[in-house]
Amino acid sequence: MKLKNFLLTAASFLTLFVVHGQQKKSTVIPNENLITENIAEIPRELANEVKKYSESRSASLAEIHPIKNDIIINTRFGSTSQLHHVSQSMGARTQVTFFDEPVSAASYEPVKGEYLIYSKDIGGNEFGQLFKLDLKTLQSRLLTDGGKSQNGGIIWRKDGKAFYYSSTKRNGGDRDIYYMDPNNPKSDKLILQVKGGGWGIQDISADNKKLLLGEYVSINESYIWVLDIETGKLTEVTDRNTKGISQSGASFSNIADEIWFVTDKDNEFERLATMNLGTKKETYYTTNIPWNIENYSLSEDKKSIVFISNEAGLNKMYLMNAVNKSYKEVKNLPVGLISDARFTKDKESVFFNQSTAQTASDVYQLNLKTGKIERWTESELGEMQQSDMSIPKFIDWKSFDDLKISGFYYPASPKFKGKRPVIIMIHGGPEAQSLASFLGSNNFYTSEMGVSLILPNVRGSSGFGKTFLAKDDGILRENSVKDIGALLDWIARQPELDKDRVMIMGGSYGGYMTLATAFHYADKIKCSVDIVGISNFNTFLKNTEEYRRDLRRAEYGDERDEKMAAFFEKMAPLNNTDKIKKPLFIIQGTNDPRVPVTEAMQMRDKLKTQGNTVWYLEAKDEGHGFKKKPNIDFQRLAVIRFMQEYLIK
């Protein structure tokens, strides 16, 4: 009898083990770095369906070789984005860094290009450290302290013997200016001590004697300074007592005592301008382009300029003769996005990044003599076809105060009939801007789930003039939430959209907007996905990294002011959870230095206590948004399961 019972018990255990094993094979299991709570099982079959859309990649320009017609690009072949070398148009992408963490900015030694300086952090903590990469051995050497400081923004001496960079290592909050010979890291020395986390180096003079520095206060306010390196004297270029003007991107001209820069002074939009350092006279050159000039680059001899405009969420590229100031648009470029245009050192061509609604970012080269444009990289899009991709449509609507708000509408595939569910995807910043961009893996929503996407640019978004940019500042914060309310009304008027099936999703400030919409418009939405969002501006400002705190106060308001703190408490999603009636999914990186993990945890805990439906996903090896492909893949699948459970039904 005992033997029989033993055999039955053993058989039952074996059956349970086999069933458990089969269950693991049939479902997606989160990796060891992911913390999950209340997330429904994800069938392996769903992962197989999504794979068609999840394997695309992109490429962006990291650096141009000073002598050869070579470039360094940033792209991903494994889990994270790494540096790759490309020596010719459509040539092989040869990987030169191999890390678990993504590698960001890179800079060639400017004379011979024998090595690179690059930046890398750990687990998304954004404490970027500088490394020297030997391109022969591919060995890296740590140059900075390796600790809890941000280091970057390097500018080389013209002879390549050393560079200047900014760092928060003195006290964690102020971004000072340092000097270093990368062949002798012990040469590292502080050359300018500043107050504030918004300082950075913008250019160095041809004689290596002066640095142009930028002081960023807020999106609406920034200043330019010049530093005499030998004496340490710091001199105002722009008037520090004149508030509310953006002045950035300073470069020395080929004319003595003149600089180029971009400013919105006396104008709604940012214009390309020059200033005489002696007389302070400013001259503006792009007034006829009624849009922001986003960035520009001077040729090595300072006689040519390439600049990019942002025209209602699409980019155009222009070439300027810096001597006579005439300029013309570069033609024969597809409608889309353009970024990071730079001259080669021989002044014969310009490299730039370009993408469209149906192509990911890739690197191109413009030959300045022939006007011919050559593609240098072609990023694979997995199994996605053009027929799988949604093309954005520009839309606009009137908000509560008759202010016109706009955005981009990506319709669901026409193969789906009837009224379609909608995701409203809200950008962060809040000064960012939704552009007419490539959806990438989000095409799964439109093509396979029949869900339409709307990417709004609520008040406070950049790209629409400085008046629009300031309309959400301080106590005006919730007016931007009302813009989403007006969008919900617009959706209700569209015959092809289902007003009863709307999901709100956003990251960072867009995460705050998601949470705020969840309680302000609980009766008009079906569910929400909050990614690294702010749940209370008081706790956010208290816990965000020190180097960011004053910069964020300039935008959101100062929590040390009693009236402002009281306003923050009143508007905080954390204090309005009783009004949240629909399911919420919270996604967060443990190491986030911008919006600390405590913002997510306190929201999760309060909603759970109230008995709300709340899913939770946290990545222990990520920061402000997921960067590692295994984590990104699981997040995507979990969001799709959330949509299946609460949006599509």
Side-chain angles (χ1 to χ4, degrees):
M1 189 71 180
K2 289 183 179 179
L3 178 61
K4 183 179 179 181
N5 287 339
F6 172 77
L7 291 173
L8 284 171
T9 302
S12 298
F13 177 78
L14 182 61
T15 301
L16 282 170
F17 182 79
V18 171
V19 169
H20 180 68
Q22 289 173 342
Q23 185 182 30
K24 289 185 80 171
K25 287 182 179 179
S26 63
T27 60
V28 177
I29 306 300
N31 67 62
E32 66 277 7
N33 288 309
L34 297 178
I35 300 168
T36 63
E37 293 183 20
N38 206 35
I39 296 175
E41 283 191 349
I42 301 171
R44 179 68 59 185
E45 183 180 348
L46 176 61
N48 293 336
E49 292 173 9
V50 174
K51 195 172 180 65
K52 173 181 178 180
Y53 295 85
S54 65
E55 300 308 304
S56 64
R57 60 171 61 94
S58 62
S60 60
L61 179 66
E63 180 63 301
I64 304 170
H65 197 279
I67 300 174
K68 306 172 186 175
N69 195 37
D70 287 3
I71 59 173
I72 297 292
I73 65 166
N74 201 290
T75 191
R76 178 197 58 76
F77 278 86
S79 172
T80 59
S81 201
Q82 299 292 318
L83 301 178
H84 296 69
H85 174 250
V86 183
S87 60
Q88 62 183 20
S89 171
M90 301 303 292
R93 294 161 287 186
T94 304
Q95 193 165 336
V96 295
T97 60
F98 304 84
F99 300 108
D100 294 333
E101 303 293 344
V103 175
S104 55
S107 179
Y108 269 118
E109 176 279 313
V111 178
K112 296 182 180 179
E114 292 181 344
Y115 60 87
L116 283 168
I117 306 298
Y118 67 85
S119 175
K120 180 171 66 70
D121 70 5
I122 297 174
N125 63 12
E126 298 187 22
F127 294 122
Q129 302 300 318
L130 296 179
F131 296 80
K132 176 187 174 184
L133 175 67
D134 186 314
L135 292 170
K136 293 179 180 177
T137 65
L138 299 187
Q139 295 300 300
S140 293
R141 181 183 184 184
L142 176 65
L143 299 178
T144 44
D145 60 21
K148 202 173 182 181
S149 65
Q150 280 193 334
N151 305 272
I154 78 170
I155 294 287
W156 288 91
R157 283 177 52 94
K158 301 298 183 183
D159 55 15
K161 291 181 178 179
F163 59 74
Y164 299 89
Y165 70 103
S166 60
S167 176
T168 62
K169 61 186 173 183
R170 177 171 57 87
N171 59 15
D174 298 320
R175 200 175 302 275
D176 301 324
I177 308 302
Y178 290 80
Y179 165 95
M180 181 191 290
D181 172 3
N183 294 311
N184 177 23
K186 292 183 179 180
S187 65
D188 187 44
K189 65 179 179 180
L190 174 67
I191 67 163
L192 179 67
Q193 185 172 307
V194 298
K195 178 64 177 174
W199 288 79
I201 311 169
Q202 298 184 352
D203 199 12
I204 188 169
S205 61
D207 60 7
N208 296 309
K209 292 182 177 180
K210 295 178 181 179
L211 292 177
L212 283 172
L213 305 180
E215 181 194 6
Y216 177 93
V217 177
S218 73
I219 191 71
N220 303 93
E221 186 177 338
S222 51
Y223 303 95
I224 299 169
W225 302 76
V226 63
L227 173 68
D228 185 305
I229 297 171
E230 186 175 342
T231 66
K233 183 181 179 182
L234 185 65
T235 305
E236 286 184 14
V237 172
T238 53
D239 185 358
R240 190 62 174 76
N241 294 316
T242 304
K243 309 297 182 183
I245 300 173
S246 173
Q247 300 155 122
S248 62
S251 299
F252 286 105
S253 167
N254 66 326
I255 299 172
D257 292 326
E258 183 182 80
I259 64 165
W260 288 91
F261 67 116
V262 174
T263 181
D264 62 7
K265 186 177 182 180
D266 300 327
N267 201 50
E268 270 297 309
F269 294 94
E270 296 197 342
R271 297 179 288 182
L272 189 59
T274 55
M275 177 193 287
N276 182 293
L277 297 179
T279 65
K280 302 294 184 180
K281 180 184 178 182
E282 298 178 16
T283 308
Y284 310 105
Y285 301 104
T286 55
T287 305
N288 291 333
I289 301 174
W291 300 98
N292 277 348
I293 303 306
E294 290 205 322
N295 55 65
Y296 75 96
S297 179
L298 280 159
S299 60
E300 185 73 10
D301 62 4
K302 309 277 188 178
K303 293 181 179 179
S304 299
I305 292 177
V306 57
F307 66 87
I308 296 168
S309 65
N310 175 349
E311 307 191 9
L314 295 167
N315 295 124
K316 291 183 179 179
M317 185 163 69
Y318 296 82
L319 290 170
M320 173 185 272
N321 182 320
V323 178
N324 64 25
K325 311 302 190 291
S326 63
Y327 62 86
K328 60 182 180 180
E329 182 186 346
V330 177
K331 299 295 186 181
N332 302 319
L333 290 172
V335 175
L337 307 182
I338 304 166
S339 64
D340 204 13
R342 306 185 218 171
F343 288 93
T344 52
K345 205 164 186 177
D346 61 13
K347 308 175 292 296
E348 293 184 359
S349 63
V350 169
F351 280 101
F352 60 96
N353 304 318
Q354 179 185 290
S355 66
T356 71
Q358 293 184 311
T359 59
S361 172
D362 272 307
V363 183
Y364 294 78
Q365 184 180 33
L366 167 65
N367 185 304
L368 295 175
K369 290 182 179 178
T370 65
K372 181 181 177 182
I373 296 173
E374 275 192 311
R375 187 172 191 161
W376 269 61
T377 64
E378 185 168 9
S379 296
E380 297 82 355
L381 300 182
E383 299 171 17
M384 263 192 295
Q385 304 300 311
Q386 286 197 352
S387 58
D388 300 318
M389 302 175 193
S390 184
I391 305 299
K393 299 177 181 180
F394 180 84
I395 60 171
D396 59 49
W397 61 95
K398 290 272 186 80
S399 193
F400 70 97
D401 56 356
D402 281 338
L403 182 67
K404 183 182 287 188
I405 308 297
S406 63
F408 290 99
Y409 166 37
Y410 292 78
S413 170
K415 67 185 178 185
F416 294 96
K417 306 304 178 185
K419 288 178 174 287
R420 305 317 313 156
V422 182
I423 303 175
I424 298 176
M425 293 181 133
I426 309 173
H427 67 68
E431 315 95 341
Q433 180 184 4
S434 290
L435 306 172
S437 57
F438 174 59
L439 279 184
S441 62
N442 288 342
N443 279 297
F444 182 85
Y445 304 145
T446 57
S447 185
E448 303 297 336
M449 300 182 77
V451 178
S452 295
L453 307 184
I454 296 177
L455 281 61
N457 283 308
V458 297
R459 68 190 68 205
S461 302
S462 62
F464 302 94
K466 62 184 179 183
T467 301
F468 189 87
L469 193 63
K471 281 186 175 293
D472 68 338
D473 289 355
I475 61 171
L476 302 176
R477 180 65 46 208
E478 290 190 301
N479 287 349
S480 59
V481 183
K482 294 178 182 177
D483 294 340
I484 299 298
L487 174 56
L488 291 167
D489 293 339
W490 181 91
I491 289 170
R493 296 192 295 270
Q494 309 311 306
E496 78 277 18
L497 300 179
D498 188 345
K499 69 178 179 61
D500 296 319
R501 290 190 292 169
V502 177
M503 183 175 95
I504 310 295
M505 180 160 65
S508 191
Y509 177 76
Y512 155 73
M513 290 285 290
T514 296
L515 295 173
T517 304
F519 79 81
H520 277 290
Y521 301 101
D523 59 332
K524 293 186 177 183
I525 66 169
K526 198 92 184 288
C527 55
S528 306
V529 179
D530 157 37
I531 305 170
V532 299
I534 300 165
S535 58
N536 185 324
F537 281 95
N538 278 324
T539 55
F540 158 72
L541 288 167
K542 177 183 177 182
N543 296 319
T544 193
E545 282 294 332
E546 186 178 351
Y547 62 84
R548 305 187 71 254
R549 195 167 294 129
D550 284 341
L551 302 176
R552 293 296 80 200
R553 283 169 175 156
E555 166 65 31
Y556 297 129
D558 194 331
E559 83 289 359
R560 296 168 298 185
D561 178 89
E562 288 186 11
K563 290 183 179 180
M564 200 72 228
F567 174 71
F568 284 155
E569 287 300 308
K570 182 181 178 181
M571 63 174 271
L574 184 67
N575 296 331
N576 288 277
T577 53
D578 59 312
K579 302 183 185 76
I580 296 177
K581 306 299 182 183
K582 305 297 172 61
L584 176 66
F585 189 0
I586 298 174
I587 300 169
Q588 180 69 43
T590 304
N591 306 317
D592 192 339
R594 304 187 190 197
V595 180
V597 66
T598 47
E599 291 296 303
M601 294 170 68
Q602 63 190 11
M603 195 71 188
R604 173 202 62 189
D605 294 345
K606 193 167 183 182
L607 288 168
K608 283 170 63 177
T609 300
Q610 293 178 181
N612 291 60
T613 298
V614 55
W615 292 20
Y616 186 76
L617 173 62
E618 182 182 327
K620 293 182 285 186
D621 59 342
E622 299 279 14
H624 197 62
F626 293 3
K627 300 293 193 304
K628 296 171 181 174
K629 192 171 189 301
N631 299 337
I632 294 169
D633 287 347
F634 187 87
Q635 174 185 323
R636 182 186 302 110
L637 292 170
V639 169
I640 291 170
R641 281 294 288 120
F642 184 77
M643 292 167 61
Q644 290 174 338
E645 290 290 320
Y646 302 113
L647 177 66
I648 304 299
K649 287 183 178 179

